Amino acid sequence: MNGEATILHADLDSFFASVEQRDDPSLRGRPVLVGGGVVVAASYEAKAYGVRTPMGIVEAKSLCPGAVVASPRFEAYSAASKAVFEVFRDTTPLVDPISIDEAFLEVGGLARLVGSPESIGARLRERVRDEVGLPITVGVARTKFLAKVASAYAKPDGLLVVPVDGERAFLHPLPVERMWGVGVKTATKLRARGIEHIGDLAVVPPHALSAYVGRAAAYHLHALANGRDPRPVQTGTRRRSVGAQRALGRRHKTMEEIDSALAGLVDRVARRMRKAEREGRTITLRLRFDDFERATRSHTLPRPTARTERLLLVARSLLDVAEPMIRDRGCTLVGVSVSGFDPQAGVQLELPFGEPDTATLDLALDDVRERFGSAAVLRGSLVRRGEGFAMPTLPD
Amino acid sequence: MKFRIDRDALADAVAWTARSLPTRPTVPVLAGLMVESTDGGIALSGFDYETSARSTVDADVADEGRALVSGRLLADICKSLPGRPVDVSVDGTKVSVVCGSSRFSLQTMPVEDYPQLPAMPTASGTVSSDDFATAVAQAVAAAGRDDVLQLLTGVRIELEGSRISLLATDRFRASLRELTWFPESPDASATAVVPAKTLSDIAKSFTAGGELTMAVATGDQGPGLIGFEGSTASGTRRTTTRMLEGEFPKVRQLFAANALTVAYVDRQELIDAVRRVSLVAERNTPVRLTFSDGQVLLESGSGDDAQAQETLEARVDGDDIVVGFNPTFLLEGLQVMTEPAVHLSFTQASRPATLAGVQELGGEPNTSFRYLIMPMRLPG
């Protein structure tokens, strides 16, 4: 492990909303909500009124009546993300992407050539501002975790360096919610035991902590709270899952509508898997209810696959199981992801039963969509509703 | 209700009937075992809406009547009773079980809430229960185990004249087992897909010798029902289960291919060698088999990690062939065969291979059980 503060966490501020403000000068300085039925991004001006994501547009408008609503333009976000990542890769070859709007950068080897991590961070912010026109916040620290906490602390449009001898002084007074992996539920449990700050968490022995957060999480939290995070900045690690999701808005949906949205998502995920030449065994269905609580259901197949038909069959059976929950609690988002990739796995051929060959169908559809765009061929059930927004993703 | 009964006969019948009771019942009464006493004997029944079981046992009945008690508890009690006659009677809301100086008192459940068991379909024919159990154990080896593909977790039973065929597949391998039986009518013809696990449990539970009656009723509405009935020294046992619905893959046609290469290998030697060689195979990677003049070479593992090799004596007729198999699929087929050697036939390395048992190298294979495996694609 590295003993110096050389890891940068660079995170674009209110990414989608900032792109809208960049491209439409009339939106600058004003509260902006990006989304259809649900807010997928809000500018800092809107966040000041208490708008959070995800939140229904109606609720957000009631909190912030002056807000301007912009429809998402995902192509513009993809292009902006690409441009920002070019700046990252021009800064250092060691870029570890987390999502389309954030990444870790290791700048340890650059001290003599370019300058200190702090000056590199400042230069990076300037370049993203000048070359792409977007605000970005950078946290600098010895570990990934501290760098991320630092950038969250410095937002918006800031730069914060956590010096190695100032880690405890920075981290320990922060509320436990700032910990990675501590959400509202865990925070409530911890606070009920008098653990309010990260400093409180650091002194609880992990075996005592495991009674209320689970064993693995307890050791993990304990290590992070004490500044131990051995994960290096890694480039070229292939992603461990491929997924897509679709917000469905707040109005009532029939199971058929949810099912057809799911089928469209499976089409998209399966196509991306085939393009990246991956096969997965575990299919996870993600749901968000009317109250924005989330749930997941998953199933693991005996053999990996990238076939649309197989993945859809599993996704649908997971949806069937979740049906009573959806009836009770509504559904505002559906997502599906496939994981359990095993690059070592050999290809098990299937018996030729003379059934319709869905593998060939998949390849033919992939070709058509590659050439004429993803909306060139749609499922019958999606013709009227469309396939929904394709959230931009990192390359697989 | 009041009766006296032989301890072993009761314990066997209770154990058999309680075997299929759900461990986590959807409604509490389904954890119950119904005990009915009628003139000359008692009947025990259990039901979970999928599978029903009913057994009768001779007994000295003093009072007719019925009661519903916890099946698991009654089974545990009967299993541990001393070897003396057992007296069972109802007393208010309790059932008392007395055997020698042991006394048990069990809470009853409301009889009126208990569902009606499905009627046994009309008999289609009879088969030797031992032959059937052996055949089922072989056929289920290729059945799917993933509940999402529910139909493939079943065994397709085809009744055609005096022949029963059992077929199963998980898409990667397939089995076909044929045996003869005695149909009620010479032109009998019926098919049923039965969950492999249920069929296997049923077949195993009727191995006390004797004849097994099979009864198939295709459902006019909803899934059809298949029933089995056999007798014991002191009574009868019958069970019904729901069929799976859907179009089963056309398994039989795959067994017709003409072989270009035929190999014979000692079955136990091959099992042992595959086990050893596959120790170094990563999950989901193949064991590679190279059949050439007089031998088969088994290899697994990759150049970067561990590797293993072993050569076995074999008789190989026809073209040399290199083929990769999932070692588990290969082992599961070899293990349910009963002959000392195995007959393997191939067309190409990317086409299914057929395995059958054979008495000696070069002999005529026993085609009553055939097991088909689809190869894995070999790297490079």
Side-chain angles (χ1 to χ4, degrees):
Chain A
M1 192 166 72
N2 192 332
E4 290 170 67
T6 57
I7 294 177
L8 270 54
H9 178 251
D11 192 359
L12 289 158
D13 301 320
S14 296
F15 177 42
F16 297 172
S18 297
V19 174
E20 295 305 327
Q21 288 178 321
R22 177 193 70 180
D23 296 349
D24 180 353
S26 75
L27 299 178
R28 290 181 198 160
R30 295 178 60 189
V32 177
L33 308 176
V34 179
V38 174
V39 180
V40 293
S43 70
Y44 273 87
E45 294 83 0
K47 284 182 183 168
Y49 287 87
V51 176
R52 295 286 171 265
T53 55
M55 179 184 269
I57 284 274
V58 179
E59 190 184 352
K61 287 280 277 184
S62 73
L63 285 169
C64 178
V68 185
V69 179
S71 293
R73 296 179 301 132
F74 289 112
E75 284 91 43
Y77 311 148
S78 279
S81 168
K82 226 180 224 171
V84 172
F85 272 83
E86 269 168 31
V87 177
F88 290 170
R89 296 213 166 85
D90 198 30
T91 303
T92 168
L94 297 175
V95 177
D96 188 349
I98 307 171
S99 70
I100 57 156
D101 59 356
E102 58 176 315
F104 289 110
L105 288 77
E106 171 63 68
V107 299
L110 306 177
R112 286 219 187 96
L113 290 169
V114 191
S116 68
E118 180 168 10
S119 64
I120 294 171
R123 175 83 190 115
L124 179 72
R125 280 173 27 76
E126 266 169 46
R127 286 191 61 188
V128 172
R129 167 69 76 188
D130 295 348
E131 294 170 28
V132 195
L134 294 174
I136 190 164
T137 299
V138 175
V140 184
R142 185 179 50 83
T143 69
K144 280 184 166 184
F145 166 67
L146 284 163
K148 187 162 165 107
V149 175
S151 72
Y153 190 83
K155 271 180 172 297
D157 204 10
L159 170 69
L160 180 67
V161 180
V162 181
V164 175
D165 58 5
E167 288 176 0
R168 273 165 192 271
F170 165 68
L171 191 61
H172 286 188
L174 295 176
V176 285
E177 285 83 353
R178 292 274 183 166
M179 293 291 293
W180 230 343
V182 174
V184 179
K185 281 184 189 164
T186 309
T188 312
K189 280 189 213 164
L190 293 173
R191 284 180 178 278
R193 272 102 185 159
I195 302 168
E196 297 195 354
H197 300 105
I198 295 178
D200 303 331
L201 197 58
V203 296
V204 181
H207 59 86
L209 203 56
S210 67
Y212 23 100
V213 298
R215 194 168 176 281
Y219 281 86
H220 184 64
L221 290 178
H222 183 78
L224 291 182
N226 284 289
R228 289 195 304 275
D229 177 11
R231 294 166 301 174
V233 172
Q234 279 180 324
T235 54
T237 46
R238 299 191 76 182
R239 39 177 55 218
R240 281 175 296 184
S241 72
V242 173
Q245 55 184 33
R246 178 172 180 178
L248 298 173
R250 309 233 35 187
R251 77 197 155 72
H252 175 78
K253 267 90 37 191
T254 61
M255 285 308 287
E256 288 69 34
E257 286 175 82
I258 300 170
D259 178 81
S260 64
L262 181 66
L265 293 170
V266 170
D267 280 343
R268 198 184 288 161
V269 167
R271 179 179 156 213
R272 280 174 50 202
M273 288 174 61
R274 290 190 292 266
K275 199 170 170 188
E277 296 185 338
R278 336 252 358 227
E279 295 199 318
R281 294 176 65 213
T282 303
I283 293 92
T284 304
L285 174 75
R286 292 175 196 288
L287 296 169
R288 192 181 65 198
F289 306 113
D290 285 349
D291 56 6
F292 291 105
E293 289 266 322
R294 288 167 177 270
T296 60
R297 294 288 178 270
S298 65
H299 178 80
T300 299
L301 291 168
R303 310 249 358 135
T305 184
R307 286 215 204 170
T308 304
E309 179 210 13
R310 299 286 154 71
L311 297 171
L312 184 57
L313 181 71
V314 176
R316 281 195 162 135
S317 75
L318 292 169
L319 186 63
D320 279 349
V321 174
E323 187 178 338
M325 270 195 313
I326 293 172
R327 293 214 183 283
D328 265 15
R329 306 176 62 186
C331 180
T332 56
L333 176 142
V334 60
V336 67
S337 67
V338 181
S339 56
F341 302 136
D342 182 357
Q344 304 291 318
V347 178
Q348 171 67 56
L349 304 172
E350 294 195 10
L351 290 167
F353 284 124
E355 295 166 327
D357 185 354
T358 58
T360 312
L361 175 68
D362 284 345
L363 295 177
L365 288 174
D366 289 352
D367 260 3
V368 171
R369 287 176 170 143
E370 188 68 28
R371 263 197 247 169
F372 303 108
S374 65
V377 193
L378 284 183
R379 285 180 183 269
S381 60
L382 288 170
V383 168
R384 283 182 55 203
R385 278 184 283 268
E387 58 170 353
F389 302 118
M391 273 283 196
T393 51
L394 288 168
D396 296 310
Chain B
M1 181 182 79
K2 191 173 181 188
F3 57 88
R4 167 168 285 208
I5 190 165
D6 176 71
R7 183 262 176 211
D8 290 346
L10 176 69
D12 283 353
V14 169
W16 185 84
T17 316
R19 175 185 51 92
S20 61
L21 291 179
T23 37
R24 281 182 216 88
T26 45
V27 276
V29 287
L30 294 184
L33 193 77
M34 183 71 86
V35 185
E36 291 167 90
S37 61
T38 50
D39 187 27
I42 64 158
L44 304 165
S45 33
F47 187 36
D48 67 357
Y49 287 109
E50 298 280 334
T51 302
S52 79
R54 184 177 167 87
S55 52
T56 61
V57 196
D58 297 337
D60 296 325
V61 175
D63 276 328
E64 297 190 0
R66 58 184 193 154
L68 187 63
V69 293
S70 160
R72 299 259 161 252
L73 199 52
L74 187 64
D76 287 347
I77 290 170
C78 291
K79 199 165 58 184
S80 59
L81 289 176
R84 308 277 298 274
V86 186
D87 289 298
V88 180
S89 59
V90 176
D91 181 11
T93 62
K94 304 267 184 182
V95 163
S96 100
V97 178
V98 180
C99 178
S101 60
S102 309
R103 287 175 168 276
F104 292 90
S105 175
L106 300 177
Q107 187 67 42
T108 61
M109 292 187 262
V111 169
E112 54 277 15
D113 295 349
Y114 198 72
Q116 176 84 40
L117 264 61
M120 180 82 174
T122 318
S124 308
T126 59
V127 60
S128 148
S129 61
D130 291 328
D131 288 355
F132 188 68
T134 312
V136 168
Q138 293 182 326
V140 298
R145 282 149 212 178
D146 184 7
D147 287 331
V148 170
L149 303 168
Q150 204 191 20
L151 186 65
L152 298 188
T153 63
V155 172
R156 179 176 159 98
I157 303 177
E158 294 178 357
L159 307 174
E160 202 60 57
S162 61
R163 186 178 71 178
I164 300 179
S165 305
L166 304 172
L167 302 104
T169 182
D170 63 0
R171 289 184 188 279
F172 307 116
R173 57 226 164 112
S175 57
L176 170 55
R177 176 63 154 93
E178 293 174 322
L179 70 160
T180 52
W181 76 320
F182 305 96
E184 291 285 304
S185 135
D187 51 0
S189 175
T191 61
V193 181
V194 184
K197 193 174 176 312
T198 311
L199 183 65
S200 166
D201 286 348
I202 290 173
K204 274 185 217 154
S205 78
F206 277 111
T207 44
E211 295 287 288
L212 180 63
T213 301
M214 209 183 328
V216 179
T218 324
D220 293 332
Q221 292 133 356
L225 201 67
I226 185 165
F228 299 87
E229 183 168 344
S231 45
T232 63
S234 57
T236 60
R237 286 172 187 183
R238 70 161 73 135
T239 180
T240 64
T241 191
R242 269 219 307 245
M243 296 177 191
L244 298 175
E245 289 178 293
E247 193 173 340
F248 204 75
K250 294 180 177 57
V251 170
R252 188 185 290 274
Q253 65 191 21
L254 298 176
F255 287 88
N258 282 322
L260 297 178
T261 305
V262 168
Y264 302 84
V265 191
D266 182 275
R267 191 173 64 91
Q268 194 58 48
E269 279 182 16
L270 183 58
I271 289 175
D272 293 344
V274 171
R275 277 210 187 108
R276 277 192 291 268
V277 168
S278 62
L279 288 175
V280 301
E282 298 281 338
R283 198 166 61 97
N284 290 330
T285 61
V287 166
R288 179 187 159 103
L289 283 76
T290 306
F291 292 90
S292 55
D293 194 24
Q295 67 169 45
V296 53
L297 167 67
L298 291 85
E299 296 166 287
S300 84
S302 70
D304 303 337
D305 298 314
Q307 284 171 284
Q309 281 155 13
E310 184 158 349
T311 309
L312 295 181
E313 203 179 304
R315 173 172 164 173
V316 181
D317 301 336
D319 305 342
D320 290 0
I321 191 167
V322 183
V323 63
F325 288 125
N326 174 324
T328 309
F329 292 174
L330 189 55
L331 287 171
E332 286 179 345
L334 291 171
Q335 278 160 351
V336 291
M337 292 180 179
T338 48
E339 291 77 8
V342 57
H343 173 278
L344 304 102
S345 58
F346 304 95
T347 54
Q348 295 167 25
S350 60
R351 306 287 298 169
T354 310
L355 278 62
V358 60
Q359 284 303 326
E360 55 188 1
L361 304 198
E364 208 41 49
N366 177 359
T367 54
S368 68
F369 174 56
R370 284 174 290 170
Y371 183 84
L372 205 66
I373 315 180
M374 197 64 187
M376 293 184 79
R377 193 178 290 146
L378 289 168

